[in-house]
Structures are given as C-alpha cells and as structure tokens.
Amino acid sequence: MANAIQKKRIALFGSTGSIGTQALEVIRANPDLFEAEILTAQTNDELLVKQALEFKPNAVVIGDEAKYHKVKEALSSENIKVFCGVAALEEVADFDSYDMMLAGIVGFAGLKPTLKAVAKGKAIGLANKETLVVAGDIVMQKAMENKAPVIPVDSEHSAIFQCLIGEGRNKIEKIILTASGGPFLGKKPNFLVNVKRHHALQHPNWTMGAKISIDSATLMNKGLEMIEAKWLFNLLPEQIQVVVHPQSIIHSMVQFEDGSIKAQMGLPDMKLPIQYAMTFPQRIVNDFPRLDFKKVTSLNFEEPDVKTFRNLALATEALFKGGNMPCILNAANEIAVWAFLRNLIGFLDITAVVEKAMEKVHFIQKPTLEQYFESDGEARNFVASLIKM
C-alpha cells in the first residue's frame, strides 16, 4: 500500500543546535517519511560532519569559513556539496530540492535564509522566533503572497496552532502563553544581582541551547514569544496574555469569543512540536514519554512578576509600540546575552542595556526591510559601546 504521506525532504537550518539535533532524531525514527536534504551549522564542524555522514544530505553549510576545508576534506568521499559563510545560507535556501525548511538558527541570523525560503513558497517549520520579532510584518506578508505555510515549532506557538485546527473563522478572544517562570521563579532582584552563567543555564523543565536558556531565565523568551504570536496568529497586542505555569504541562491556551478555552497539554518535550510541524496536517505514532495524570497532582498558575523580571515588561512595551521597536529589543538582547555568557556583564545588566537601547536607538513606525537591518546594526553597536566590548 502506498504511504499516505509522501517522503518529505527537510532543509535543517541549525542542524547541530538543540532543535536541529532533535529534528534529526525524528527523521532517524521515520526514514520512510523524511530525509535530511540540507544541513547547516555555524561553528560545530565535527557534529555537522557526523550528521552528514549519517544522513547523506544533498548539501551542507558551515558558517565559520575557517572550518570549510576541514568539512570539505571529511566529506570528500561522499556526494555532498559543501558550502561556507553567511551568504551560503541564502544560497542553499534558494535550492528547489527541499520541501520544508526547519528554521532552527538562533537569533537574527535566521532571518535572511527564512525570507529566501518564503519567497520560494516553501513550507517553514519556524523554530527561530527572532525572525518574526525582527520583521514579522514583512515575513508574514511575503508568506501570504507566496503561499508559504509557516508552521510554528516553538512549543507555545505549536500549542496555539493545534488549538486553532478546525476552528476556521471562529474569532479568538485572547491567547494565553504559559511560562515556566524559569530557574529563578519567585526570586527578587537582590538574589538576581549575583546570578552567574551556570545558574541561569539550568532550566527546570526544558533542555535548550544557551541563548534561549538565558532568555527563559530573564523572561525575555516569553516577551519574544508574545511578539511572535502577534504576527503568527494576526492578533492585537491586547489579545496576548502571559501566565506563569511552573509545571510546563499546559503549553498554551486559546480563549474564543464564547468564553471557551482550549489548551494543548503534554510532557515538556520539544520533539513533539518538531514532529507535528514536520508531519502536519497528519499526526504520526511515536514512542515519546506520555503524560500520566496519576502522577500530576496539581497544575498551578500565577501572574508573572514583571517588576523583578522587567524584560517581560520591556518586550510588552515593544509589542504595543510596534515599528522597529521589537527589532531594537531583540538586537540589544542578543548582544547583552552574548556578553553575559562571557561574564562581561551581570544578569540584571541584560535588562538595563536593553532598556537603554530602546530609549536611544532611532524609532521608525513603518520600517522597510533595509531599515530593519539598519536598526538591528545600530542597536548592536549601541549596546556594544555601553558594554565596552
């Protein structure tokens, strides 16, 4: 009997990161459904080579040009095209040979290749929230024009997406994004002053890369998700609410205009939203661990503490202000997190520099794509000068 789902060729942008490696686990478990067509990595050449030898993609990209010869040499006996550098990401995103891009590159760097795939009308499994935070209006507009489906991979946005299936034109009253509260839930600023890198990287429920782990600890992650949700689901800022839910069992909720609320639940496991994005509109069998209600005695909810975790307040401000403000917020945060991970600034300084950038960098109400790139650069340079890097 012919398979109901045709074999899908996946272009994995950011294949060596947390999302990429888990996506490859899904592909490995379902070789009759998926193949890895393109793999890209920024610096992790050893893992990229290992993945390429196992999955035999058509092409690989190593972002770090200094590592090009090593990768080329290691794959010389294979029929795999090897590219390097930032421009190569756009080049391979322009290939016709894949069906879906899994956009797992962290940060602003994911924007250009994603735009290229959207322009080709390719399906996008979007794990890079910064792409929509920076230029959501342009990305979603282009996706509409080119009939490119954008399927969220973030657990919260996947949850909302799943809750909306079958609801057609039924109006959303609001969406409720759940936040675990991160490793410092309930802590006050006097505690956070002394937080070090290794504390902030320990998330209670999810295993993630360094950037998103720090964003979760500062609650910036939830702020970025609010902005992403606005564009993904075409919402007004006031329709987006955040609630702290420490167990991370309810991944997010949708409230409809009749007051009914739908929630999507499950154990915190990123492989589930990754698999769902890759198989959509079907669901397929897997052997992931199941939620056992006998073991979950209670689910708790509380308001986020935006006085202590001011990043969430700043992101909300950017969401309501619009224009290039989310782009400025994101760029400043990327540099601040980079600096914190290198012990150049303290944990609370992350918020302080983001706030300064939002005050100082030139505000544009209706930016072009070019102006988004300029604002991004301007905010990065401003923060770098503050930190004296």
Side-chain angles (χ1 to χ4, degrees), residues 19 125-127 129 150-165 175-178 206 225 228-229 232-233 250-254 262-265 269-280 283:
I19 295 289
L126 191 67
K129 52 179 70 79
V150 178
I151 303 163
V153 170
D154 238 352
S155 65
E156 294 82 354
H157 300 95
S158 175
I160 293 159
F161 188 74
Q162 291 179 56
C163 289
L164 292 175
I165 300 297
I175 63 162
I176 301 145
L177 292 172
T178 52
W206 297 94
E225 284 175 9
E228 185 186 1
L232 270 175
F233 306 112
I250 291 182
H251 298 142
S252 278
M253 299 172 262
V254 177
K262 272 190 183 179
Q264 189 265 333
M265 306 169 76
D269 180 356
M270 273 312 293
K271 285 207 293 294
L272 186 63
I274 291 168
Q275 176 182 294
Y276 185 74
M278 282 163 54
T279 61
F280 178 80
R283 292 181 184 272

Side-chain angles (χ1 to χ4, degrees), residues 94-158:
D94 208 20
F95 281 13
D96 287 319
S97 61
Y98 67 96
D99 303 306
M100 175 180 228
M101 171 191 277
L102 194 71
I105 294 177
V106 176
F108 180 79
L111 176 59
K112 282 184 175 172
T114 305
L115 275 170
K116 193 62 101 182
V118 164
K120 291 189 76 71
K122 299 288 188 187
I124 310 289
L126 191 67
N128 165 307
K129 52 179 70 79
E130 292 90 347
T131 290
L132 291 188
V133 170
V134 172
D137 51 345
I138 291 174
V139 176
M140 293 311 281
Q141 181 62 42
K142 284 208 175 353
M144 292 253 302
E145 286 165 13
N146 297 293
K147 300 189 170 50
V150 178
I151 303 163
V153 170
D154 238 352
S155 65
E156 294 82 354
H157 300 95
S158 175

Side-chain angles (χ1 to χ4, degrees), residues 37-341:
E37 175 65 16
I38 295 167
L39 300 175
T40 87
Q42 182 52 30
T43 52
N44 195 342
D45 56 307
E46 285 176 15
L47 184 52
L48 181 66
V49 165
K50 207 173 143 206
Q51 291 175 343
L53 290 171
E54 179 185 351
F55 290 94
K56 310 265 189 283
N58 172 20
V60 300
V61 179
I62 180 78
D64 183 348
E65 296 181 24
K67 297 184 171 173
Y68 171 68
H69 289 293
K70 236 172 108 182
V71 175
K72 184 105 177 104
E73 186 64 28
L75 298 177
S76 57
S77 61
E78 302 290 329
N79 185 19
I80 298 172
K81 301 180 190 75
V82 181
F83 300 88
C84 71
V86 177
L89 290 172
E90 287 185 79
E91 203 180 318
V92 297
D94 208 20
F95 281 13
D96 287 319
S97 61
Y98 67 96
D99 303 306
M100 175 180 228
M101 171 191 277
L102 194 71
I105 294 177
V106 176
F108 180 79
L111 176 59
K112 282 184 175 172
T114 305
L115 275 170
K116 193 62 101 182
V118 164
K120 291 189 76 71
K122 299 288 188 187
I124 310 289
L126 191 67
N128 165 307
K129 52 179 70 79
E130 292 90 347
T131 290
L132 291 188
V133 170
V134 172
D137 51 345
I138 291 174
V139 176
M140 293 311 281
Q141 181 62 42
K142 284 208 175 353
M144 292 253 302
E145 286 165 13
N146 297 293
K147 300 189 170 50
V150 178
I151 303 163
V153 170
D154 238 352
S155 65
E156 294 82 354
H157 300 95
S158 175
I160 293 159
F161 188 74
Q162 291 179 56
C163 289
L164 292 175
I165 300 297
E167 290 293 345
R169 296 257 167 252
N170 287 334
K171 276 212 179 69
I172 300 173
E173 191 165 272
K174 67 173 176 182
I175 63 162
I176 301 145
L177 292 172
T178 52
S180 68
F184 308 129
L185 179 61
K187 299 289 190 238
K188 291 291 174 238
N190 58 359
F191 171 88
L192 297 175
V193 167
N194 303 312
V195 158
K196 291 287 175 274
R197 179 177 183 270
H198 63 279
H199 298 131
L201 286 172
Q202 287 163 350
H203 194 281
N205 304 337
W206 297 94
T207 315
M208 310 177 286
K211 159 81 165 57
I212 192 171
S213 296
I214 302 304
D215 283 349
S216 289
T218 66
L219 287 199
M220 178 59 91
N221 188 44
K222 214 43 58 178
L224 298 177
E225 284 175 9
M226 290 173 78
I227 299 165
E228 185 186 1
K230 170 192 182 340
W231 296 116
L232 270 175
F233 306 112
N234 195 14
L235 301 166
L236 297 166
E238 48 273 15
Q239 288 176 293
I240 305 165
Q241 185 189 344
V242 170
V243 65
V244 172
H245 165 50
Q247 293 85 4
S248 298
I249 297 292
I250 291 182
H251 298 142
S252 278
M253 299 172 262
V254 177
Q255 181 171 315
F256 296 93
E257 54 183 1
D258 60 357
S260 175
I261 297 176
K262 272 190 183 179
Q264 189 265 333
M265 306 169 76
L267 290 171
D269 180 356
M270 273 312 293
K271 285 207 293 294
L272 186 63
I274 291 168
Q275 176 182 294
Y276 185 74
M278 282 163 54
T279 61
F280 178 80
Q282 270 97 358
R283 292 181 184 272
I284 60 167
V285 167
N286 60 40
D287 58 2
F288 306 159
R290 300 315 201 225
L291 174 65
D292 179 357
F293 275 101
K294 293 194 287 295
K295 294 192 177 125
V296 181
T297 50
S298 63
L299 299 175
N300 306 77
F301 305 94
E302 57 187 86
E303 281 295 301
D305 175 4
V306 288
K307 282 201 173 63
T308 303
F309 298 94
R310 284 177 42 244
N311 269 353
L312 188 55
L314 292 176
T316 304
E317 189 187 315
L319 167 71
F320 275 84
K321 189 146 192 195
N324 66 339
M325 197 52 87
C327 173
I328 295 166
L329 168 96
N330 178 67
N333 181 61
E334 280 191 34
I335 296 292
V337 169
W338 183 91
F340 172 73
L341 285 169

